[in-house]
Amino acid sequence: MHKYDYLIVGAGLFGGVFAHEATKRGKKCLVIDRRDHIGGNTYCQNVEGINVHKYGAHIFHTNDKAVWDYVNSFVEFNRYTNSPLANYKGDLYNLPFNMNTFYQLWKVKTPQEARDIIDRQKAALGDAEPQNLEEQAVSLVGEDIYQKLIKGYTEKQWGRACKDLPPFIIKRLPVRFTYDNNYFNDRYQGIPMGGYNKLTEALLEGSEVRLGVDFFENRADLTAQAQQVVYTGKIDEYFDYSLGALAYRSLRFEHQTLPQDNYQGNAVVNYTDAQTPFTRIIEHKHFEFGTQPSTVITREYPEESEPGSEPYYPVNDDANESIAREYKKMADAQPNVIFGGRLAEYRYYDMHQVVASALKKVRVHFGE
Ligand code: FAD
Ligand code: UDP
């Protein structure tokens, strides 16, 4: 007899949703995480009354009403709408790329004028399907925006030339011919009131949670305690890197508490030139309209993931995708292990996609 029905490796959003759903179905879960807190990358630390997004800005957004209703059943979300600014060599531009940005760049006031400029700037590309991020960016917004707001930021973020990156990364950002600075097109958006920990704490209610426990330090013993494993860590690590290590981008976060109530007047300001070593500055209080007398800001410095550093972003270029496909075949052949989440599926998932993926895997697993 096993002590638990499920050993869940990773107390992030995927692990949390799976744990909640299994508990709801009368199952017993042991959830472990190598970090000393729950929530995975959504974790918030309270500093002087401000919820600091320890692993970078997290804004929940989705078009899926079922996912929105699901997360709202655990915690109420506020009306925060992400409208980042881009700082390029001291000048400010609105994001995502919209009529405000086009006016700031070219002084054009109508959609037709903006379209004409973009069409002229992308003419050299012809009608061929964009093959890489550079071609995709120029074909969406033209050469000026590519040079000022995309190239420097992207090459810092990914440590690779835009020509060597897949087009889909830049298609995450809307391009609009209206004066609308909302970074997302989704119908639902917000931040949990009181921070993300409220969500993950609620999801893990009823599960046994052990923190500071690394699956690989005690793999056999931990596995033996449960009938099934749900694994949300790195897929290549699970298989001892037998097909080689997958590339991940990492980040270094430099948090700073300042004795002033408002540093930059916006939650997110991107630095899109190539010289500034960080990609963005986050001012956390603005996610929750905070009125505290002090403020906390975070500079985000991208770096390559080395052994020991945190793997934040899968690098879904061709070389890594083909290795990941082979690992996925190995994962599918593992009896009694469910692989899920950003690291185990090696997918550039947002939170809503992780919730949807976990709920889907639960339904398949329980034959519903
Ligand atoms: P994780 O949150 O990574 O959780 C996995 C957990 O497993 C971790 O806590 C890890 O410590 C643990 N683990 C791994 N290996 C082991 C092991 N061997 N033993 C024990 N524990 C282990 N999404 C959005 O929707 N909106 C945003 O604005 C947004 N911004 C983001 C900004 C940044 C900088 C980053 C990095 C991500 C952002 N995301 C955003 C994505 C979001 O963080 C993820 O989609 C989501 O948190 C992934 O959940 P997960 O459970 O798959 O993984
Ligand atoms: N991007 C950019 N300039 C910006 C913001 C984003 O070129 O000012 C590009 C960059 O390649 C980035 C991608 O768009 O990796 C997706 O941006 P998003 O804000 O979705 O990235 P995330 O929040 O996931 O880091």
Side-chain angles (χ1 to χ4, degrees):
M1 274 299 282
H2 297 99
K3 189 162 175 220
Y4 303 96
D5 294 299
Y6 297 97
L7 166 72
I8 300 179
V9 181
L13 215 42
F14 190 98
V17 170
F18 198 98
H20 176 80
E21 293 301 316
T23 306
K24 207 164 86 183
R25 288 163 176 79
K27 305 294 183 190
K28 219 169 156 212
C29 300
L30 170 62
V31 183
I32 60 166
D33 205 296
R34 54 162 60 134
R35 293 178 177 164
D36 64 1
H37 58 73
I38 63 163
N41 288 338
T42 70
Y43 173 68
C44 296
Q45 187 182 22
N46 192 297
V47 178
E48 301 193 5
I50 299 163
N51 287 310
V52 174
H53 296 205
K54 276 299 264 195
Y55 302 97
H58 276 73
I59 300 108
F60 201 100
H61 57 98
T62 182
N63 249 330
D64 186 334
K65 184 164 187 329
V67 166
W68 183 243
D69 288 345
Y70 186 79
V71 293
N72 274 273
S73 72
F74 300 100
V75 58
E76 202 178 330
F77 279 64
N78 71 14
R79 61 153 190 87
Y80 177 79
T81 301
N82 201 30
S83 310
L85 291 164
N87 181 321
Y88 177 74
K89 301 192 173 174
D91 288 328
L92 289 179
Y93 299 91
N94 286 111
L95 293 174
F97 314 118
N98 73 83
M99 284 306 298
N100 290 306
T101 331
F102 307 145
Y103 175 72
Q104 288 147 357
L105 271 164
W106 305 314
K107 291 285 172 280
V108 293
K109 294 178 188 147
T110 68
Q112 192 55 51
E113 290 171 305
R115 279 186 214 277
D116 288 346
I117 294 182
I118 292 172
D119 285 347
R120 269 202 307 279
Q121 294 193 359
K122 71 177 197 190
L125 283 176
D127 289 332
E129 186 71 14
Q131 294 302 307
N132 56 52
L133 197 152
E134 176 172 302
E135 290 177 11
Q136 181 69 74
V138 174
S139 96
L140 285 170
V141 287
E143 190 68 25
D144 285 353
I145 292 183
Y146 171 64
Q147 291 295 342
K148 289 188 171 168
L149 303 182
I150 297 175
K151 189 172 192 298
Y153 185 99
T154 297
E155 295 189 345
K156 284 191 290 191
Q157 169 74 358
W158 295 98
R160 285 156 178 79
C162 287
K163 281 196 168 78
D164 298 330
L165 286 165
F168 84 88
I169 293 178
I170 198 67
K171 283 172 89 176
R172 288 168 58 87
L173 307 193
V175 178
R176 284 192 202 109
F177 292 88
T178 53
Y179 290 90
D180 178 358
N181 296 328
N182 184 346
Y183 201 58
F184 303 112
N185 281 329
D186 289 339
R187 187 162 161 203
Y188 308 104
Q189 178 175 180
I191 303 282
M193 287 164 78
Y196 282 91
N197 301 357
K198 291 212 163 170
L199 173 62
T200 42
E201 277 161 14
L203 286 168
L204 290 169
E205 224 175 271
S207 294
E208 185 178 327
V209 180
R210 291 191 210 153
L211 299 173
V213 176
D214 190 328
F215 177 62
F216 296 110
E217 281 172 12
N218 214 347
R219 186 172 185 158
D221 270 6
L222 285 164
T223 306
Q225 293 190 42
Q227 204 157 351
Q228 283 228 282
V229 174
V230 176
Y231 178 78
T232 76
K234 283 165 56 177
I235 190 165
D236 50 351
E237 190 174 16
Y238 185 89
F239 293 109
D240 298 324
Y241 304 101
S242 57
L243 305 176
L246 290 166
Y248 298 86
R249 270 315 261 176
S250 193
L251 297 168
R252 182 168 58 83
F253 297 103
E254 194 182 87
H255 305 287
Q256 207 180 354
T257 305
L258 300 172
Q260 62 192 81
D261 70 336
N262 194 355
Y263 174 74
Q264 62 184 16
N266 205 36
V268 183
V269 180
N270 293 355
Y271 286 75
T272 58
D273 65 294
Q275 289 72 36
T276 306
F278 47 85
T279 47
R280 46 191 175 191
I281 301 183
I282 309 302
E283 187 170 12
H284 301 266
K285 68 191 307 176
H286 298 309
F287 289 124
E288 297 184 62
F289 316 105
T291 54
Q292 299 84 354
S294 57
T295 194
V296 181
I297 61 166
T298 302
R299 292 185 177 82
E300 241 174 80
Y301 297 83
E303 40 189 48
E304 200 64 18
S305 178
E306 309 289 347
S309 59
E310 288 287 345
Y312 289 114
Y313 295 89
V315 179
N316 297 97
D317 59 11
D318 291 344
N320 284 290
E321 274 295 286
S322 79
I323 304 172
R325 270 195 297 277
E326 295 308 310
Y327 277 126
K328 280 172 191 167
K329 284 185 200 155
M330 290 165 73
D332 289 341
Q334 285 286 300
N336 298 329
V337 186
I338 294 168
F339 291 79
R342 210 181 226 212
L343 301 173
E345 297 183 55
Y346 199 65
R347 300 273 296 270
Y348 189 176
Y349 272 150
D350 278 329
M351 291 179 282
H352 60 291
Q353 295 165 313
V354 168
V355 172
S357 158
L359 289 173
K360 189 166 170 204
K361 288 197 181 200
V362 164
R363 280 194 299 273
V364 171
H365 177 67
F366 287 100
E368 293 164 1

